[in-house]
């Protein structure tokens, strides 16, 4: 069967057989794929070092009937800081787990790939302290949820659905007034904002 190339991030690895490792790779164009790194757990394996979680690698793979395999692996960025610090390791593991959840096998999502790569770079650079690491995580979560269509509504009213562009016609004098409502799940238009609120949950901060 044909060999093929991939360039992607390793989301996770797990032991397989006596000395192999199964690697989950996120490639921007191929999507998520699994491949076996034969002998990767042997001390002198050429695949062992590069086939670690979060590493950004170029791969040459063989296509198998049920499972593909890694022939060669070249590290573009090992993202070692994400494995060397406990806060960052926990954060990167959480990011990889979320991405693994939302991206399906062989269903490419270049946007999610780009977000994950960018977040790994950001996480590698921030101070290894809970504050900065948490900040990276929150920003990642909002962007990921937006990419998969679960983010806050920011281009139309979260309550009535009127697009932001037409808000100017709605109420002269109040045009451009933005109010964010966590309860409504996004921004709300002046009319909805002015409407009586229920249960004491208002759009106004
Ligand atoms: Zn509205």
């Amino acid at each position: 069967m044909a060999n093929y190339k991939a360039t992607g991030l390793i989301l996770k690895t797990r032991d397989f057989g006596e000395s192999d490792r199964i690697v989950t790779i996120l490639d921007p164009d191929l999507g998520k794929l699994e491949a076996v790194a034969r002998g990767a757990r042997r001390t002198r394996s050429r695949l062992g070092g590069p086939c670690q979680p979060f590493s950004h690698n170029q791969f040459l793979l063989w296509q198998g009937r049920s499972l593909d395999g890694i022939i060669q692996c070249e590290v573009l960025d090992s993202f070692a800081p994400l494995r060397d610090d406990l806060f960052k390791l926990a954060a990167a593991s959480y990011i990889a787990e979320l991405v693994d959840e939302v991206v399906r096998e062989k269903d490419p999502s270049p946007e999610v790939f780009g977000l994950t790569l960018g977040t790994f770079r950001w996480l590698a650079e921030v101070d290894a302290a809970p504050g900065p690491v948490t900040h990276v995580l929150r920003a990642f979560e909002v962007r990921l949820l937006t990419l998969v269509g679960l983010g806050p509504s920011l281009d139309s009213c979260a309550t009535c659905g009127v697009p932001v562009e037409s808000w100017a016609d709605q109420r002269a004098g109040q045009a451009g007034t933005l109010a964010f409502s966590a309860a409504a799940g996004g921004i709300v238009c002046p009319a909805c904002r002015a409407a009586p609120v229920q249960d004491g949950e208002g759009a106004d901060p």
Side-chain angles (χ1 to χ4, degrees), residues 156-162 167 170 187-193:
S156 59
C157 174
T159 301
C160 70
V162 169
W167 288 13
Q170 202 182 35
I187 50 172
V188 287
C189 71
C192 291
R193 201 182 165 196

Side-chain angles (χ1 to χ4, degrees), residues 28-202:
D29 305 314
L30 301 173
K32 192 172 75 174
L33 55 113
E34 277 199 334
V36 61
R38 295 236 185 267
R41 279 152 58 218
R42 291 197 195 109
T43 40
R44 300 179 70 182
S45 165
R46 281 204 197 112
L47 295 178
C51 287
Q52 295 201 60
F54 323 130
S55 192
H56 186 210
N57 299 342
Q58 273 184 329
F59 300 92
L60 179 64
L61 301 112
W62 48 263
Q63 202 170 26
R65 266 190 206 89
S66 57
L67 187 64
D68 297 354
I70 298 168
I71 300 166
Q72 279 172 23
C73 186
E74 192 185 324
V75 176
L76 299 176
D77 190 337
S78 78
F79 285 114
L82 305 188
R83 293 184 300 273
D84 293 346
D85 171 78
L86 274 182
F87 286 127
K88 293 188 179 186
L89 176 64
S93 303
Y94 171 73
I95 289 166
E97 208 178 300
L98 277 187
V99 170
D100 190 26
E101 288 283 328
V102 302
V103 179
R104 279 165 298 174
E105 296 247 332
K106 290 168 184 166
D107 183 14
S109 177
E111 297 85 4
V112 172
F113 174 84
L115 171 64
T116 310
L117 179 61
T119 305
F120 279 178
R121 284 183 178 145
W122 188 15
L123 192 58
E125 283 169 16
V126 293
D127 290 340
V133 169
T134 304
H135 179 65
V136 173
L137 283 184
R138 293 297 93 87
F140 168 80
E141 284 166 342
V142 170
R143 287 178 196 161
L144 183 69
L145 290 176
T146 304
L147 281 180
V148 299
L150 296 172
S153 168
L154 297 175
D155 52 8
S156 59
C157 174
T159 301
C160 70
V162 169
V164 169
E165 303 88 75
S166 62
W167 288 13
D169 311 329
Q170 202 182 35
R171 288 209 164 184
Q174 283 193 41
T177 308
L178 285 179
F180 185 84
S181 165
I187 50 172
V188 287
C189 71
C192 291
R193 201 182 165 196
V197 289
Q198 295 170 344
D199 304 321
E201 286 195 275

